[in-house]
Amino acid sequence: MNVGDLPWDDVRIFLATLRAPSLRQAADDLGVSHPTASRRVRALEERLGLQLFERRSDGLHPTAEAVELAAAAEEVERAMHALQRVALSVDPVLRGPIRVTMVQPFATDLLMPDLHAFAVRYPEIELHVQLKMALSNLAAREADVAVRGIAAGNSPDADLAGRRAAQVNTAVYGSGACWLGPDDQRAAFADTILPGGPDLLSLPVRGSFPGVVVKRAACIAGLGYARLPCFYGDPVLPRRSVPVRGGDIWVLVHPDLRRNMRLRLFRDFLVEALRRHQPRLLGDAPTLRA
């Protein structure tokens, strides 16, 4: 068994294959082709002299040897990610990629003009925007910067560093004769009287509409009422309630990367942009009215 020159990329593909439902998904997650991933897995097996996966008609299945190696491989992964973070933290150059993760409404309805302004000002920095609801694993370098809404009064995880940039309010939007589920999002609007007289809490709950993008589309279509961030509902829908606090927006990085010049520059830029948008986020900007 020759492990002295074991390539990190082979270990990375091994771990991705363990974690993904299929080799093809693992390849997609890593940005490589399916044949390349398959070839690297076989090369690792030959180098180690072990069978790591059983090939079945429904895909690859890890062997007992693969499960036993997983913990050691994850230690290597953590060490490589730490090395990459330290290298990036001391990089003084204002060029190269920045991967920023945020939910779709922040990107498409709030911050895109600001991202454009940043790209014009710093043409050698490449922005890679990821639209994710879940917080990307900043420790594993899935993203460099995250823009996230966090419930009022809460703080981000202790292993993240960040700045609270703005507050976001929410309100009720839509029309019809029902509340677009789930039900737990309307308690803050108990005193709201809707057009025509019914109070909000008396409406039946209909269906399940996950996420504000789907909820806003459903409200526009007339399917019912829903709770939306004011900056997202106001431009296209009449507001049906007074705004209530929805949470805070944070700009987050891994603590090891706080000293990196281009990430600090980008983080500060986003914080300033979000603070300029504070009136819209609170629902104080011009809006459609009921």
Side-chain angles (χ1 to χ4, degrees), residues 60-105:
L60 300 186
H61 294 261
T63 62
E65 291 80 2
V67 174
E68 190 171 345
L69 287 174
E74 288 172 346
E75 287 186 18
V76 174
E77 179 184 50
R78 285 191 290 271
M80 289 299 299
H81 289 155
L83 177 64
Q84 292 167 352
R85 292 196 304 271
V86 171
L88 183 58
S89 72
V90 297
D91 175 13
V93 181
L94 292 180
R95 66 170 178 264
I98 294 177
R99 292 168 297 176
V100 54
T101 176
M102 62 184 72
V103 293
Q104 181 176 326

mmCIF file of all heavy atoms in Angstrom, residues 60-105:
data_model
loop_
_atom_site.group_PDB
_atom_site.id
_atom_site.type_symbol
_atom_site.label_atom_id
_atom_site.label_comp_id
_atom_site.label_asym_id
_atom_site.label_seq_id
_atom_site.Cartn_x
_atom_site.Cartn_y
_atom_site.Cartn_z
ATOM 1 N N LEU A 60 -22.914 3.006 -6.240
ATOM 2 C CA LEU A 60 -21.813 2.601 -5.379
ATOM 3 C C LEU A 60 -22.265 2.515 -3.929
ATOM 4 O O LEU A 60 -23.001 3.372 -3.444
ATOM 5 C CB LEU A 60 -20.662 3.609 -5.486
ATOM 6 C CG LEU A 60 -20.026 3.809 -6.859
ATOM 7 C CD1 LEU A 60 -18.812 4.714 -6.748
ATOM 8 C CD2 LEU A 60 -19.644 2.484 -7.495
ATOM 9 N N HIS A 61 -21.784 1.489 -3.235
ATOM 10 C CA HIS A 61 -22.098 1.312 -1.819
ATOM 11 C C HIS A 61 -20.787 1.158 -1.061
ATOM 12 O O HIS A 61 -19.947 0.334 -1.431
ATOM 13 C CB HIS A 61 -22.983 0.083 -1.608
ATOM 14 C CG HIS A 61 -24.340 0.226 -2.212
ATOM 15 N ND1 HIS A 61 -25.449 0.587 -1.470
ATOM 16 C CD2 HIS A 61 -24.773 0.080 -3.494
ATOM 17 C CE1 HIS A 61 -26.499 0.645 -2.270
ATOM 18 N NE2 HIS A 61 -26.122 0.341 -3.507
ATOM 19 N N PRO A 62 -20.570 1.959 0.001
ATOM 20 C CA PRO A 62 -19.294 1.883 0.714
ATOM 21 C C PRO A 62 -19.106 0.543 1.403
ATOM 22 O O PRO A 62 -20.047 -0.037 1.958
ATOM 23 C CB PRO A 62 -19.386 3.028 1.728
ATOM 24 C CG PRO A 62 -20.850 3.286 1.887
ATOM 25 C CD PRO A 62 -21.464 2.979 0.559
ATOM 26 N N THR A 63 -17.887 0.058 1.368
ATOM 27 C CA THR A 63 -17.534 -1.169 2.067
ATOM 28 C C THR A 63 -17.194 -0.843 3.521
ATOM 29 O O THR A 63 -17.084 0.324 3.916
ATOM 30 C CB THR A 63 -16.316 -1.828 1.402
ATOM 31 O OG1 THR A 63 -15.199 -0.928 1.502
ATOM 32 C CG2 THR A 63 -16.594 -2.136 -0.060
ATOM 33 N N ALA A 64 -16.997 -1.893 4.309
ATOM 34 C CA ALA A 64 -16.599 -1.691 5.709
ATOM 35 C C ALA A 64 -15.262 -0.969 5.790
ATOM 36 O O ALA A 64 -15.022 -0.156 6.688
ATOM 37 C CB ALA A 64 -16.526 -3.042 6.420
ATOM 38 N N GLU A 65 -14.377 -1.239 4.831
ATOM 39 C CA GLU A 65 -13.081 -0.560 4.806
ATOM 40 C C GLU A 65 -13.241 0.934 4.574
ATOM 41 O O GLU A 65 -12.539 1.759 5.188
ATOM 42 C CB GLU A 65 -12.190 -1.171 3.719
ATOM 43 C CG GLU A 65 -11.713 -2.576 3.998
ATOM 44 C CD GLU A 65 -12.748 -3.642 3.688
ATOM 45 O OE1 GLU A 65 -13.859 -3.299 3.201
ATOM 46 O OE2 GLU A 65 -12.456 -4.827 3.922
ATOM 47 N N ALA A 66 -14.172 1.300 3.706
ATOM 48 C CA ALA A 66 -14.409 2.723 3.438
ATOM 49 C C ALA A 66 -14.939 3.428 4.678
ATOM 50 O O ALA A 66 -14.505 4.541 5.007
ATOM 51 C CB ALA A 66 -15.397 2.878 2.280
ATOM 52 N N VAL A 67 -15.852 2.789 5.364
ATOM 53 C CA VAL A 67 -16.408 3.386 6.586
ATOM 54 C C VAL A 67 -15.316 3.567 7.627
ATOM 55 O O VAL A 67 -15.250 4.586 8.336
ATOM 56 C CB VAL A 67 -17.554 2.513 7.129
ATOM 57 C CG1 VAL A 67 -18.034 3.033 8.477
ATOM 58 C CG2 VAL A 67 -18.708 2.472 6.119
ATOM 59 N N GLU A 68 -14.392 2.579 7.725
ATOM 60 C CA GLU A 68 -13.315 2.669 8.706
ATOM 61 C C GLU A 68 -12.340 3.790 8.361
ATOM 62 O O GLU A 68 -11.781 4.439 9.254
ATOM 63 C CB GLU A 68 -12.582 1.333 8.781
ATOM 64 C CG GLU A 68 -11.595 1.236 9.929
ATOM 65 C CD GLU A 68 -11.059 -0.176 10.109
ATOM 66 O OE1 GLU A 68 -11.663 -1.101 9.542
ATOM 67 O OE2 GLU A 68 -10.048 -0.330 10.810
ATOM 68 N N LEU A 69 -12.143 4.060 7.064
ATOM 69 C CA LEU A 69 -11.216 5.107 6.639
ATOM 70 C C LEU A 69 -11.831 6.505 6.713
ATOM 71 O O LEU A 69 -11.101 7.496 6.653
ATOM 72 C CB LEU A 69 -10.766 4.854 5.195
ATOM 73 C CG LEU A 69 -9.787 3.710 4.963
ATOM 74 C CD1 LEU A 69 -9.566 3.518 3.482
ATOM 75 C CD2 LEU A 69 -8.464 4.001 5.664
ATOM 76 N N ALA A 70 -13.150 6.594 6.824
ATOM 77 C CA ALA A 70 -13.828 7.889 6.706
ATOM 78 C C ALA A 70 -13.346 8.894 7.744
ATOM 79 O O ALA A 70 -13.100 10.063 7.433
ATOM 80 C CB ALA A 70 -15.344 7.693 6.806
ATOM 81 N N ALA A 71 -13.210 8.473 9.005
ATOM 82 C CA ALA A 71 -12.822 9.414 10.059
ATOM 83 C C ALA A 71 -11.435 9.991 9.796
ATOM 84 O O ALA A 71 -11.205 11.195 9.964
ATOM 85 C CB ALA A 71 -12.868 8.718 11.416
ATOM 86 N N ALA A 72 -10.491 9.146 9.367
ATOM 87 C CA ALA A 72 -9.148 9.639 9.071
ATOM 88 C C ALA A 72 -9.176 10.591 7.881
ATOM 89 O O ALA A 72 -8.471 11.615 7.862
ATOM 90 C CB ALA A 72 -8.211 8.469 8.793
ATOM 91 N N ALA A 73 -9.982 10.260 6.876
ATOM 92 C CA ALA A 73 -10.087 11.138 5.717
ATOM 93 C C ALA A 73 -10.675 12.493 6.090
ATOM 94 O O ALA A 73 -10.269 13.538 5.562
ATOM 95 C CB ALA A 73 -10.937 10.472 4.637
ATOM 96 N N GLU A 74 -11.625 12.492 7.024
ATOM 97 C CA GLU A 74 -12.219 13.754 7.471
ATOM 98 C C GLU A 74 -11.212 14.601 8.253
ATOM 99 O O GLU A 74 -11.249 15.827 8.194
ATOM 100 C CB GLU A 74 -13.466 13.471 8.311
ATOM 101 C CG GLU A 74 -14.630 12.976 7.466
ATOM 102 C CD GLU A 74 -15.807 12.506 8.290
ATOM 103 O OE1 GLU A 74 -15.635 12.310 9.527
ATOM 104 O OE2 GLU A 74 -16.898 12.314 7.711
ATOM 105 N N GLU A 75 -10.290 13.956 8.971
ATOM 106 C CA GLU A 75 -9.226 14.703 9.644
ATOM 107 C C GLU A 75 -8.333 15.392 8.615
ATOM 108 O O GLU A 75 -7.923 16.549 8.793
ATOM 109 C CB GLU A 75 -8.397 13.769 10.528
ATOM 110 C CG GLU A 75 -9.096 13.325 11.797
ATOM 111 C CD GLU A 75 -8.166 12.524 12.699
ATOM 112 O OE1 GLU A 75 -6.929 12.619 12.508
ATOM 113 O OE2 GLU A 75 -8.674 11.812 13.581
ATOM 114 N N VAL A 76 -8.004 14.680 7.545
ATOM 115 C CA VAL A 76 -7.223 15.280 6.464
ATOM 116 C C VAL A 76 -7.977 16.447 5.843
ATOM 117 O O VAL A 76 -7.410 17.508 5.568
ATOM 118 C CB VAL A 76 -6.897 14.220 5.392
ATOM 119 C CG1 VAL A 76 -6.203 14.861 4.188
ATOM 120 C CG2 VAL A 76 -6.032 13.116 5.973
ATOM 121 N N GLU A 77 -9.284 16.272 5.670
ATOM 122 C CA GLU A 77 -10.109 17.332 5.091
ATOM 123 C C GLU A 77 -10.078 18.577 5.962
ATOM 124 O O GLU A 77 -9.905 19.695 5.462
ATOM 125 C CB GLU A 77 -11.538 16.827 4.929
ATOM 126 C CG GLU A 77 -12.496 17.847 4.346
ATOM 127 C CD GLU A 77 -13.918 17.323 4.295
ATOM 128 O OE1 GLU A 77 -14.403 16.801 5.345
ATOM 129 O OE2 GLU A 77 -14.550 17.431 3.238
ATOM 130 N N ARG A 78 -10.246 18.406 7.266
ATOM 131 C CA ARG A 78 -10.219 19.560 8.167
ATOM 132 C C ARG A 78 -8.865 20.265 8.125
ATOM 133 O O ARG A 78 -8.795 21.505 8.135
ATOM 134 C CB ARG A 78 -10.550 19.113 9.595
ATOM 135 C CG ARG A 78 -12.032 18.811 9.812
ATOM 136 C CD ARG A 78 -12.348 18.626 11.279
ATOM 137 N NE ARG A 78 -11.768 17.383 11.801
ATOM 138 C CZ ARG A 78 -12.389 16.220 11.789
ATOM 139 N NH1 ARG A 78 -13.607 16.114 11.293
ATOM 140 N NH2 ARG A 78 -11.810 15.136 12.305
ATOM 141 N N ALA A 79 -7.784 19.490 8.064
ATOM 142 C CA ALA A 79 -6.458 20.098 7.993
ATOM 143 C C ALA A 79 -6.261 20.869 6.693
ATOM 144 O O ALA A 79 -5.692 21.976 6.691
ATOM 145 C CB ALA A 79 -5.384 19.013 8.137
ATOM 146 N N MET A 80 -6.732 20.326 5.588
ATOM 147 C CA MET A 80 -6.597 21.021 4.301
ATOM 148 C C MET A 80 -7.417 22.307 4.282
ATOM 149 O O MET A 80 -6.953 23.341 3.779
ATOM 150 C CB MET A 80 -7.033 20.097 3.160
ATOM 151 C CG MET A 80 -6.074 18.957 2.890
ATOM 152 S SD MET A 80 -4.416 19.512 2.411
ATOM 153 C CE MET A 80 -4.782 20.431 0.912
ATOM 154 N N HIS A 81 -8.621 22.261 4.822
ATOM 155 C CA HIS A 81 -9.443 23.468 4.859
ATOM 156 C C HIS A 81 -8.799 24.535 5.737
ATOM 157 O O HIS A 81 -8.823 25.730 5.403
ATOM 158 C CB HIS A 81 -10.845 23.133 5.383
ATOM 159 C CG HIS A 81 -11.658 22.355 4.418
ATOM 160 N ND1 HIS A 81 -12.693 21.530 4.801
ATOM 161 C CD2 HIS A 81 -11.597 22.246 3.058
ATOM 162 C CE1 HIS A 81 -13.234 20.962 3.740
ATOM 163 N NE2 HIS A 81 -12.587 21.373 2.681
ATOM 164 N N ALA A 82 -8.206 24.121 6.866
ATOM 165 C CA ALA A 82 -7.524 25.084 7.731
ATOM 166 C C ALA A 82 -6.341 25.706 7.010
ATOM 167 O O ALA A 82 -6.102 26.920 7.099
ATOM 168 C CB ALA A 82 -7.063 24.397 9.017
ATOM 169 N N LEU A 83 -5.586 24.898 6.276
ATOM 170 C CA LEU A 83 -4.449 25.414 5.510
ATOM 171 C C LEU A 83 -4.914 26.414 4.455
ATOM 172 O O LEU A 83 -4.314 27.482 4.271
ATOM 173 C CB LEU A 83 -3.705 24.252 4.846
ATOM 174 C CG LEU A 83 -2.520 24.614 3.952
ATOM 175 C CD1 LEU A 83 -1.430 25.281 4.771
ATOM 176 C CD2 LEU A 83 -1.984 23.367 3.249
ATOM 177 N N GLN A 84 -5.996 26.098 3.770
ATOM 178 C CA GLN A 84 -6.519 27.004 2.749
ATOM 179 C C GLN A 84 -6.992 28.312 3.355
ATOM 180 O O GLN A 84 -6.772 29.389 2.789
ATOM 181 C CB GLN A 84 -7.660 26.312 1.988
ATOM 182 C CG GLN A 84 -7.209 25.147 1.129
ATOM 183 C CD GLN A 84 -8.368 24.292 0.652
ATOM 184 O OE1 GLN A 84 -9.508 24.467 1.069
ATOM 185 N NE2 GLN A 84 -8.081 23.346 -0.221
ATOM 186 N N ARG A 85 -7.632 28.239 4.532
ATOM 187 C CA ARG A 85 -8.100 29.471 5.164
ATOM 188 C C ARG A 85 -6.945 30.359 5.592
ATOM 189 O O ARG A 85 -6.991 31.582 5.431
ATOM 190 C CB ARG A 85 -8.990 29.141 6.375
ATOM 191 C CG ARG A 85 -10.312 28.492 6.015
ATOM 192 C CD ARG A 85 -11.280 28.550 7.196
ATOM 193 N NE ARG A 85 -10.728 27.954 8.395
ATOM 194 C CZ ARG A 85 -10.843 26.661 8.720
ATOM 195 N NH1 ARG A 85 -11.472 25.832 7.910
ATOM 196 N NH2 ARG A 85 -10.330 26.202 9.853
ATOM 197 N N VAL A 86 -5.898 29.744 6.157
ATOM 198 C CA VAL A 86 -4.743 30.540 6.578
ATOM 199 C C VAL A 86 -4.077 31.182 5.371
ATOM 200 O O VAL A 86 -3.706 32.360 5.394
ATOM 201 C CB VAL A 86 -3.740 29.660 7.353
ATOM 202 C CG1 VAL A 86 -2.441 30.426 7.597
ATOM 203 C CG2 VAL A 86 -4.338 29.217 8.671
ATOM 204 N N ALA A 87 -3.920 30.423 4.281
ATOM 205 C CA ALA A 87 -3.315 30.983 3.074
ATOM 206 C C ALA A 87 -4.134 32.145 2.542
ATOM 207 O O ALA A 87 -3.588 33.176 2.116
ATOM 208 C CB ALA A 87 -3.179 29.895 2.011
ATOM 209 N N LEU A 88 -5.455 32.012 2.571
ATOM 210 C CA LEU A 88 -6.303 33.087 2.071
ATOM 211 C C LEU A 88 -6.280 34.291 3.005
ATOM 212 O O LEU A 88 -6.329 35.438 2.556
ATOM 213 C CB LEU A 88 -7.741 32.572 1.927
ATOM 214 C CG LEU A 88 -8.762 33.545 1.339
ATOM 215 C CD1 LEU A 88 -8.331 34.029 -0.046
ATOM 216 C CD2 LEU A 88 -10.138 32.897 1.266
ATOM 217 N N SER A 89 -6.152 34.047 4.302
ATOM 218 C CA SER A 89 -6.201 35.153 5.256
ATOM 219 C C SER A 89 -5.024 36.102 5.103
ATOM 220 O O SER A 89 -5.117 37.281 5.452
ATOM 221 C CB SER A 89 -6.251 34.617 6.686
ATOM 222 O OG SER A 89 -4.999 34.078 7.075
ATOM 223 N N VAL A 90 -3.885 35.605 4.617
ATOM 224 C CA VAL A 90 -2.701 36.456 4.478
ATOM 225 C C VAL A 90 -2.511 36.948 3.042
ATOM 226 O O VAL A 90 -1.529 37.611 2.758
ATOM 227 C CB VAL A 90 -1.435 35.710 4.952
ATOM 228 C CG1 VAL A 90 -1.542 35.375 6.415
ATOM 229 C CG2 VAL A 90 -1.179 34.465 4.115
ATOM 230 N N ASP A 91 -3.440 36.624 2.157
ATOM 231 C CA ASP A 91 -3.351 37.064 0.765
ATOM 232 C C ASP A 91 -3.716 38.547 0.680
ATOM 233 O O ASP A 91 -4.852 38.918 0.949
ATOM 234 C CB ASP A 91 -4.314 36.228 -0.085
ATOM 235 C CG ASP A 91 -4.375 36.692 -1.532
ATOM 236 O OD1 ASP A 91 -3.491 37.484 -1.923
ATOM 237 O OD2 ASP A 91 -5.288 36.279 -2.252
ATOM 238 N N PRO A 92 -2.767 39.423 0.291
ATOM 239 C CA PRO A 92 -3.046 40.861 0.288
ATOM 240 C C PRO A 92 -3.574 41.389 -1.033
ATOM 241 O O PRO A 92 -3.759 42.596 -1.188
ATOM 242 C CB PRO A 92 -1.664 41.459 0.589
ATOM 243 C CG PRO A 92 -0.730 40.524 -0.111
ATOM 244 C CD PRO A 92 -1.353 39.138 -0.025
ATOM 245 N N VAL A 93 -3.806 40.529 -2.000
ATOM 246 C CA VAL A 93 -4.089 40.985 -3.360
ATOM 247 C C VAL A 93 -5.594 41.173 -3.562
ATOM 248 O O VAL A 93 -6.391 40.323 -3.179
ATOM 249 C CB VAL A 93 -3.540 39.982 -4.392
ATOM 250 C CG1 VAL A 93 -3.812 40.474 -5.806
ATOM 251 C CG2 VAL A 93 -2.047 39.770 -4.184
ATOM 252 N N LEU A 94 -5.959 42.297 -4.177
ATOM 253 C CA LEU A 94 -7.379 42.579 -4.447
ATOM 254 C C LEU A 94 -7.771 42.020 -5.809
ATOM 255 O O LEU A 94 -8.220 42.735 -6.706
ATOM 256 C CB LEU A 94 -7.642 44.086 -4.381
ATOM 257 C CG LEU A 94 -7.516 44.721 -2.992
ATOM 258 C CD1 LEU A 94 -7.796 46.216 -3.067
ATOM 259 C CD2 LEU A 94 -8.453 44.049 -2.000
ATOM 260 N N ARG A 95 -7.609 40.743 -5.953
ATOM 261 C CA ARG A 95 -8.078 40.056 -7.149
ATOM 262 C C ARG A 95 -8.326 38.597 -6.796
ATOM 263 O O ARG A 95 -7.868 38.104 -5.767
ATOM 264 C CB ARG A 95 -7.077 40.181 -8.300
ATOM 265 C CG ARG A 95 -5.752 39.479 -8.091
ATOM 266 C CD ARG A 95 -4.939 39.471 -9.385
ATOM 267 N NE ARG A 95 -3.641 38.835 -9.187
ATOM 268 C CZ ARG A 95 -2.530 39.489 -8.928
ATOM 269 N NH1 ARG A 95 -2.547 40.806 -8.848
ATOM 270 N NH2 ARG A 95 -1.391 38.843 -8.759
ATOM 271 N N GLY A 96 -9.079 37.935 -7.668
ATOM 272 C CA GLY A 96 -9.417 36.548 -7.425
ATOM 273 C C GLY A 96 -10.887 36.375 -7.102
ATOM 274 O O GLY A 96 -11.663 37.336 -7.109
ATOM 275 N N PRO A 97 -11.308 35.154 -6.817
ATOM 276 C CA PRO A 97 -12.732 34.875 -6.608
ATOM 277 C C PRO A 97 -13.187 35.160 -5.186
ATOM 278 O O PRO A 97 -12.425 35.058 -4.233
ATOM 279 C CB PRO A 97 -12.828 33.375 -6.908
ATOM 280 C CG PRO A 97 -11.492 32.840 -6.497
ATOM 281 C CD PRO A 97 -10.497 33.918 -6.827
ATOM 282 N N ILE A 98 -14.460 35.539 -5.061
ATOM 283 C CA ILE A 98 -15.157 35.592 -3.780
ATOM 284 C C ILE A 98 -16.473 34.851 -3.971
ATOM 285 O O ILE A 98 -17.266 35.211 -4.841
ATOM 286 C CB ILE A 98 -15.435 37.031 -3.314
ATOM 287 C CG1 ILE A 98 -14.141 37.778 -3.010
ATOM 288 C CG2 ILE A 98 -16.332 37.019 -2.070
ATOM 289 C CD1 ILE A 98 -14.360 39.228 -2.607
ATOM 290 N N ARG A 99 -16.685 33.842 -3.156
ATOM 291 C CA ARG A 99 -17.937 33.087 -3.217
ATOM 292 C C ARG A 99 -18.847 33.571 -2.100
ATOM 293 O O ARG A 99 -18.502 33.447 -0.921
ATOM 294 C CB ARG A 99 -17.649 31.588 -3.078
ATOM 295 C CG ARG A 99 -16.901 31.000 -4.267
ATOM 296 C CD ARG A 99 -16.393 29.622 -3.976
ATOM 297 N NE ARG A 99 -15.429 29.638 -2.880
ATOM 298 C CZ ARG A 99 -14.883 28.538 -2.361
ATOM 299 N NH1 ARG A 99 -15.237 27.345 -2.808
ATOM 300 N NH2 ARG A 99 -14.008 28.631 -1.381
ATOM 301 N N VAL A 100 -19.971 34.134 -2.480
ATOM 302 C CA VAL A 100 -20.904 34.680 -1.506
ATOM 303 C C VAL A 100 -22.221 33.916 -1.610
ATOM 304 O O VAL A 100 -22.734 33.682 -2.708
ATOM 305 C CB VAL A 100 -21.122 36.197 -1.718
ATOM 306 C CG1 VAL A 100 -21.540 36.518 -3.139
ATOM 307 C CG2 VAL A 100 -22.129 36.737 -0.713
ATOM 308 N N THR A 101 -22.756 33.508 -0.470
ATOM 309 C CA THR A 101 -24.010 32.776 -0.448
ATOM 310 C C THR A 101 -25.091 33.632 0.204
ATOM 311 O O THR A 101 -24.849 34.304 1.206
ATOM 312 C CB THR A 101 -23.860 31.435 0.302
ATOM 313 O OG1 THR A 101 -25.133 30.784 0.386
ATOM 314 C CG2 THR A 101 -23.320 31.625 1.699
ATOM 315 N N MET A 102 -26.268 33.614 -0.379
ATOM 316 C CA MET A 102 -27.417 34.364 0.138
ATOM 317 C C MET A 102 -28.679 33.743 -0.424
ATOM 318 O O MET A 102 -28.638 32.994 -1.411
ATOM 319 C CB MET A 102 -27.324 35.850 -0.245
ATOM 320 C CG MET A 102 -27.331 36.123 -1.731
ATOM 321 S SD MET A 102 -27.094 37.885 -2.138
ATOM 322 C CE MET A 102 -25.367 38.117 -1.751
ATOM 323 N N VAL A 103 -29.818 34.043 0.184
ATOM 324 C CA VAL A 103 -31.084 33.556 -0.355
ATOM 325 C C VAL A 103 -31.456 34.385 -1.578
ATOM 326 O O VAL A 103 -31.000 35.513 -1.758
ATOM 327 C CB VAL A 103 -32.200 33.607 0.707
ATOM 328 C CG1 VAL A 103 -31.912 32.620 1.822
ATOM 329 C CG2 VAL A 103 -32.370 35.013 1.257
ATOM 330 N N GLN A 104 -32.302 33.820 -2.421
ATOM 331 C CA GLN A 104 -32.613 34.453 -3.700
ATOM 332 C C GLN A 104 -33.145 35.883 -3.580
ATOM 333 O O GLN A 104 -32.706 36.762 -4.334
ATOM 334 C CB GLN A 104 -33.603 33.587 -4.475
ATOM 335 C CG GLN A 104 -33.963 34.175 -5.855
ATOM 336 C CD GLN A 104 -34.866 33.262 -6.640
ATOM 337 O OE1 GLN A 104 -34.770 32.045 -6.542
ATOM 338 N NE2 GLN A 104 -35.760 33.853 -7.420
ATOM 339 N N PRO A 105 -34.091 36.189 -2.668
ATOM 340 C CA PRO A 105 -34.590 37.562 -2.612
ATOM 341 C C PRO A 105 -33.507 38.601 -2.328
ATOM 342 O O PRO A 105 -33.552 39.713 -2.858
ATOM 343 C CB PRO A 105 -35.628 37.514 -1.489
ATOM 344 C CG PRO A 105 -36.096 36.105 -1.477
ATOM 345 C CD PRO A 105 -34.880 35.295 -1.790
#
